[in-house]
Amino acid sequence: MRATLLLLLGLALAACGPQPPADEVYRQQLFAFGTLIDISIAGADRAQARDAVRAVDALYQQQHRDWHAWQRGALDDLNRAIAAGKPWRTDPSIVMLIRMAQDFERRSDGLFNPAIGELLALWGFQQDLPPDRPPPSAKQIEAWLAHKPSTLQLHIEGETVRSDNPHARLDFGGFAKGYSVGRGVDLLAARGIRNFIVNAGGDLCLRGSRSGKPWRIGVRHPSGVGTLATLEMTGAGCVFTSGNYERYFTWKGQRYHHILDPRSGYPARGARSVTVIADDPALADAAATALFVAGTERWREIAVNMGVSDVLLIGDDNIARVTPALAQRLVFDPDWKAVEVVPPHP
Ligand code: ADP
Ligand code: MG
């Protein structure tokens, strides 16, 4: 009886030809934007999945070159022209990113400001390795603050960009990865792939399901190690986290991380990590960074302005503040005790 069953099963599988079993997940890793990108595809033909991932890789390598904040490329060319006070004809993709940056800067009341490239460089965050030198002096920071760089000082005519301020150096590090993840999602969908996760170092978008079952997503612990909570998702959605564990250096026992507060010129204080869930990955990425800067005082107001309703903010006090809709979906690690459910209104 058992043998017959196995035989029948074998026949059923054989009849499927080259199709993988429905619950098989095809996984491949790419490296771009300084991050390992893990793509998982469920229930698709293996060759189709492999070709689609190859196309995503080609796209990411191009974006990595064009939008890099300190290596030679299209964005660097534009930043040099801005510093020299000259108008510059740039790539259409950069024009689009500038328009998005301006929108995010306005909606975050200036807390998210992709024109802080000079400040990031001053802190040593525009280099591949963590800086091995003291933080900038108060005088250097004051000098930067006095220039008041903003993306709103950039003017676009066709593909030509001109800046009123030579110090408005662009760095899209706060949302370009999100935008790219979204482009990768579009590319996979256009190739007929329906069930997948594009995971860029813990920041991810997903589509569909895993053979009819929800994808299970882990929200990173604010220590940077392990998960703080899990949630199950199907359909479409993106989960982005900004944390002070991501990139930092230590000088004389003091830790300095890479999310800077444009009001003070120093690393933002008050939050350990912020997770945002939204349909639009560029918005989720920008909002996670913006709400990190907004901290425990202003995150509810800025979340409303930016149009995100699923937010989890862990403060320095180790209290997890979570919006009601997200609270219903998150399953916290039993070790994490302090959770406050707070609506995203001021
Ligand atoms: P990660 O890319 O490491 O996941 P984030 O999405 O939080 O982290 O982005 C952090 C990056 O955003 C920094 O490395 C820097 O390039 C940029 N950045 C830092 N502070 C700001 C800010 N106040 N506004 C806009 N971009 C910022
Ligand atoms: Mg971000």
Side-chain angles (χ1 to χ4, degrees), residues 11 20 66 69 80 88-89 125 129 144 146 156 180 197 199 214 239 241 244 253 276 283 293-295:
L11 284 175
D66 287 348
R80 284 166 194 263
W88 189 256
R89 187 174 171 165
F125 288 122
L129 295 174
W144 181 84
I156 301 167
S180 296
I197 299 183
N199 183 342
V239 183
T241 300
N244 59 16
V276 173
L283 171 65
V293 179

Side-chain angles (χ1 to χ4, degrees), residues 32-33 35 37 60 63 67 172-183 200-203 220 240-241 246 281-282 285:
F33 317 115
T35 307
I37 298 170
Y60 284 178
Q63 293 175 340
W67 304 342
F172 298 136
F175 74 108
K177 192 168 78 181
Y179 179 76
S180 296
V181 168
R183 290 295 312 276
D203 292 330
R220 244 178 314 167
F240 277 73
T241 300
E246 198 77 55
D285 194 358

Side-chain angles (χ1 to χ4, degrees), residues 43-187:
D45 173 76
R46 185 172 274 275
Q48 184 194 11
R50 192 190 51 225
D51 289 351
V53 170
R54 204 173 280 159
V56 173
D57 190 26
L59 175 74
Y60 284 178
Q61 300 314 325
Q62 179 69 45
Q63 293 175 340
H64 180 85
R65 281 192 297 275
D66 287 348
W67 304 342
H68 205 287
W70 61 90
Q71 286 170 12
R72 291 310 303 257
L75 182 60
D76 187 58
D77 290 342
L78 172 61
N79 275 331
R80 284 166 194 263
I82 290 172
K86 290 192 213 133
W88 189 256
R89 187 174 171 165
T90 186
D91 191 87
S93 71
I94 292 182
V95 170
M96 186 209 50
L97 288 172
I98 293 173
R99 290 193 201 283
M100 292 173 79
Q102 291 175 326
D103 181 46
F104 293 143
E105 186 181 337
R106 268 194 211 99
R107 284 157 67 186
S108 67
D109 196 18
L111 301 182
F112 187 79
N113 178 357
I116 64 168
E118 276 192 1
L119 183 67
L120 286 160
L122 210 57
W123 277 93
F125 288 122
Q126 284 196 339
Q127 58 190 44
D128 293 329
L129 295 174
D132 184 20
R133 59 167 201 243
S137 68
K139 219 172 156 183
Q140 285 174 298
I141 290 180
E142 272 159 33
W144 181 84
L145 288 172
H147 297 309
K148 297 190 183 350
S150 160
T151 61
L152 305 176
Q153 295 152 344
L154 302 179
H155 305 283
I156 301 167
E157 248 185 77
E159 284 164 18
T160 301
V161 178
R162 179 175 61 74
S163 175
D164 294 335
N165 185 346
H167 299 281
R169 188 201 287 184
L170 294 167
D171 180 311
F172 298 136
F175 74 108
K177 192 168 78 181
Y179 179 76
S180 296
V181 168
R183 290 295 312 276
V185 166
D186 295 344
L187 218 159

